[in-house]
Amino acid sequence: MALNNDTPWPSVADAKERVLSIQRKLHRWSKAESERRFDDLYNLVCDRATLVVAWDRVKSNRGSQTAGVDGWSRWHIEHRIGVQAFLEEVRSQLRARTYRPAPVRERGIPKRGGKVRYLGIPTIRDRVVQMALKLVLEPIFEAGFYSASYGYRPARRAQDAIAEIAQYINPRSSYEYVVEGDIKACFDNVRHGVLMRQIRWRIEDRRVLALLRAFLSAGVMKETGRLVATLTGTPQGGIISPLLANIYLSALDRHFEQFWKLSYYQRRKRVRSRLIRYADDFVILVRGTREQAEAVRVEAARLLRDELEMELSEEKTLVTHVDNGFEFLGHRIKRIAWRRHKVAFTYPSKRSVQAVKYKVKSLTTRTTTDLSLRTLLLHLNSVLRGWATYFRYDASKRTLAYVDNFAWWRVFRWLGKKHPKRNIRYLKRRYCGGRWRIHEGDVELFRPSKVRVERYRYRGTRILLPWMEATELGAVGRYARTDYDDFSIVGALDEKLAAS
């Protein structure tokens, strides 16, 4: 297949069709031959169609307007040098093997408890090349990933992980204990040697391996302006970092999946346990006693230490009975008695409610009264709609009504601060139209209480990847796709809630 020829740059539609065809072949070959090592992938990374699709995805990301250490963003590419000239330059450097990634720009993001999470922001050029690498490598590694892993994977969502936990807590599985896993500084402690060894199990193209190694060792430009070498870790914020983290942590998935490959009589002699992982956050469900759950926790800590050179956080890694409840990805999960049966209930955790209340408060303080009501509602609606959509599959009707009431009164009091000389009757007539809805022009305050609460359909292993045909799943293919209209909103919120 001749890829790197002198054909003109394809349109986005043609490039997407071509890349999808290549991805389907890679995924099919990887799935058919689990021991196969892929060579000559570098030409696919340098292909014009791959770079066009990579640019299209990077520019559609909200982070495309965030500059790296070079100060360039999407706007500079489109208005100064042109997209085609930019991609041609990147392609020429890749083909000549003269491409060198720039250091990532460090940016601190506040976390709860006063801590700070540091993101590494690559340059726009590096983001395009990372996306091109991801387009080629992801279909290969996805064929070997396990169904218990949900974070940063195509067609998978946080709701799938929560639904699987509920599935195994409910009868007939009735797992009793949960090990709440928390890895110390997971992304910062990825050992490059261990990661590259895992990648070489499937990839033998030395040019691709060298490019990946170059990104891992590109360095970090601190907020103080000091350049620091990166001897370990993958920078959070890089496009390819989530894929690399999943490759690294798949050793943990593999260990717990080995149990289900044993014979029936071999399984009877061991403790039943199931791992559900979302990036570096995971829980292990145990069907047995508390002592057996403690033994599983020790086993997981030993595996991480010996194989991945990582440590579990002792104070955050807890063993809890499912009847007492635990938190995962912003949800509170608890098994309660319901109509003579024990059933798993999920609802927004107190931390999640406090988080959305804090965001609403910060947007409706006296310092924001210089904004127009329309601008305020646009910001608030983005927060409220995303939060309500994420939790619409929980038993959250009362919580949504509570957040709705809280937000409405915060906005109404904000209007009182904006117009201190006006009374309540004027504010209701001016902004509510005599009814209990706040609006300005065509923008109305989003009401979480009106969101329909429904049960999320558990998909299990029947998740249709972008490169798979529906026929590959046989009779259950019709259950595999997720056609909810809120997919993009929930997908964008998964990462924020998992990191909070």
Side-chain angles (χ1 to χ4, degrees):
M1 185 186 302
L3 293 173
N4 289 305
N5 48 37
D6 295 324
T7 57
W9 286 88
S11 65
V12 174
D14 292 340
K16 286 182 177 179
E17 183 177 352
R18 185 174 184 177
V19 169
L20 181 60
S21 175
I22 294 172
Q23 287 178 319
R24 282 176 173 167
K25 291 179 181 179
L26 292 173
H27 184 75
R28 185 168 62 251
W29 294 338
S30 179
K31 191 174 181 180
E33 303 176 53
S34 59
E35 303 296 327
R36 177 172 180 169
R37 298 180 67 201
F38 289 80
D39 196 4
D40 198 24
L41 296 176
Y42 195 74
N43 288 332
L44 297 176
V45 177
C46 303
D47 184 50
R48 285 187 171 93
T50 307
L51 292 175
V52 168
V53 175
W55 167 257
D56 183 70
R57 292 197 180 183
V58 168
K59 77 171 186 178
S60 63
N61 193 311
R62 287 185 300 176
S64 63
Q65 298 297 347
T66 304
V69 294
D70 60 355
W72 284 63
S73 65
R74 167 190 169 186
W75 184 90
H76 295 86
I77 304 299
E78 294 178 334
H79 294 86
R80 291 196 176 180
I81 63 176
V83 174
Q84 186 168 321
F86 166 75
L87 294 178
E88 187 63 58
E89 180 185 358
V90 171
R91 181 170 179 267
S92 300
Q93 292 178 1
L94 286 172
R95 295 185 67 188
R97 304 289 301 280
T98 59
Y99 178 85
R100 296 294 181 270
V104 298
R105 181 170 67 89
E106 184 183 71
R107 182 177 179 182
I109 305 295
K111 293 177 58 180
R112 64 167 178 257
K115 297 182 180 180
V116 179
R117 180 186 298 274
Y118 290 100
L119 301 180
I121 303 174
T123 62
I124 190 77
R125 183 188 66 154
D126 290 344
R127 273 176 265 177
V128 171
V129 177
Q130 286 189 27
M131 181 61 77
L133 273 170
K134 183 181 178 182
L135 289 171
V136 174
L137 296 180
E138 192 172 47
I140 297 173
F141 284 99
E142 272 291 332
F145 285 161
Y146 296 90
S147 60
S149 169
Y150 291 97
Y152 309 114
R153 293 182 59 188
R156 289 171 176 261
R157 309 162 66 179
Q159 277 76 11
D160 289 310
I162 301 300
E164 180 163 353
I165 293 172
Q167 177 78 6
Y168 289 117
I169 290 177
N170 283 330
R172 298 181 304 184
S173 297
S174 298
Y175 283 73
E176 297 290 329
Y177 286 92
V178 59
V179 179
E180 304 174 60
D182 186 272
I183 303 174
K184 288 184 179 178
C186 177
F187 285 86
D188 297 332
N189 290 323
V190 171
R191 306 296 173 177
H192 294 173
V194 177
L195 174 61
M196 294 305 298
R197 184 167 63 248
Q198 291 176 323
I199 294 175
R200 282 195 289 269
W201 287 348
R202 301 309 305 267
I203 308 298
E204 63 177 355
D205 191 325
R206 293 187 178 182
R207 296 167 296 177
V208 171
L209 295 174
L211 187 56
L212 286 171
R213 174 71 76 170
F215 276 116
L216 291 173
S217 58
V220 177
M221 184 67 70
K222 294 286 186 178
E223 293 180 322
T224 58
R226 183 167 59 97
L227 180 62
V228 178
T230 49
L231 303 179
T232 61
T234 60
Q236 297 185 58
I239 287 176
I240 203 169
S241 293
L243 174 61
L244 297 181
N246 273 327
I247 295 172
Y248 195 83
L249 292 173
S250 60
L252 188 64
D253 308 338
R254 188 182 309 114
H255 174 81
F256 283 91
E257 285 290 333
Q258 293 301 321
F259 173 85
W260 301 102
K261 295 182 180 180
L262 300 175
S263 67
Y264 171 76
Y265 294 101
Q266 289 174 320
R267 290 203 303 267
R268 288 186 64 182
K269 299 176 182 179
R270 300 183 59 181
V271 181
R272 290 201 173 193
S273 59
R274 288 187 180 271
L275 172 77
I276 296 95
R277 183 174 64 83
Y278 191 95
D280 58 333
D281 293 328
F282 66 89
V283 294
I284 306 172
L285 299 176
V286 180
R287 190 173 184 179
T289 64
R290 186 178 185 88
E291 289 72 22
Q292 291 173 327
E294 291 284 356
V296 171
R297 183 184 66 82
V298 173
E299 180 185 359
R302 179 196 55 78
L303 173 70
L304 286 169
R305 183 177 59 253
D306 295 347
E307 292 195 24
L308 303 180
E309 300 181 32
M310 290 183 167
E311 296 289 335
L312 280 179
S313 173
E314 292 294 334
E315 63 275 9
K316 294 183 179 179
T317 303
L318 309 174
V319 175
T320 310
H321 197 282
V322 294
D323 291 350
N324 296 328
F326 60 96
E327 293 185 15
F328 189 59
L329 301 180
H331 302 260
R332 181 75 178 172
I333 307 170
K334 186 177 181 179
R335 192 172 64 183
I336 65 174
W338 179 261
R339 295 179 180 177
R340 295 183 298 177
H341 296 285
K342 286 191 173 183
V343 181
F345 266 59
T346 64
Y347 46 92
S349 67
K350 290 184 178 180
R351 287 180 177 177
S352 299
V353 176
Q354 292 298 324
V356 72
K357 285 176 62 179
Y358 175 79
K359 291 180 181 179
V360 173
K361 281 183 180 179
S362 62
L363 288 171
T364 54
T365 60
R366 194 178 298 274
T367 58
T368 62
T369 53
D370 58 322
L371 299 175
S372 66
L373 177 60
R374 189 178 191 277
T375 302
L376 176 74
L377 293 180
L378 288 174
H379 289 300
L380 269 178
N381 287 352
S382 176
V383 172
L384 294 173
R385 183 179 288 108
W387 191 89
T389 303
Y390 183 82
F391 290 107
R392 66 183 293 187
Y393 306 107
D394 289 348
S396 56
K397 194 63 179 177
R398 290 185 179 180
T399 307
L400 292 175
Y402 170 75
V403 172
D404 183 304
N405 182 72
F406 176 82
W408 193 95
W409 280 108
R410 286 293 305 185
V411 175
F412 195 78
R413 288 169 184 151
W414 178 87
L415 289 172
K417 297 171 187 175
K418 187 176 179 68
H419 304 284
K421 296 182 179 181
R422 298 291 187 176
N423 56 27
I424 294 178
R425 183 178 299 176
Y426 170 83
L427 295 178
K428 287 185 63 178
R429 185 175 64 252
R430 170 67 175 81
Y431 295 106
C432 301
R435 290 172 289 181
W436 293 97
R437 64 184 188 93
I438 299 176
H439 66 94
E440 184 167 40
D442 58 338
V443 181
E444 182 179 345
L445 176 65
F446 179 80
R447 307 302 298 270
S449 62
K450 295 183 179 180
V451 172
R452 180 186 176 188
V453 174
E454 56 185 315
R455 183 180 179 183
Y456 187 81
R457 178 180 293 164
Y458 173 62
R459 299 188 290 168
T461 59
R462 304 168 300 180
I463 298 176
L464 190 64
L465 294 174
W467 323 290
M468 296 171 61
E469 300 291 346
T471 54
E472 292 187 49
L473 292 175
V476 299
R478 65 190 183 93
Y479 296 110
R481 290 191 184 276
T482 298
D483 55 359
Y484 298 113
D485 57 359
D486 57 34
F487 181 83
S488 60
I489 298 175
V490 175
L493 222 71
D494 282 355
E495 179 181 351
K496 295 181 181 179
L497 287 166
S500 62

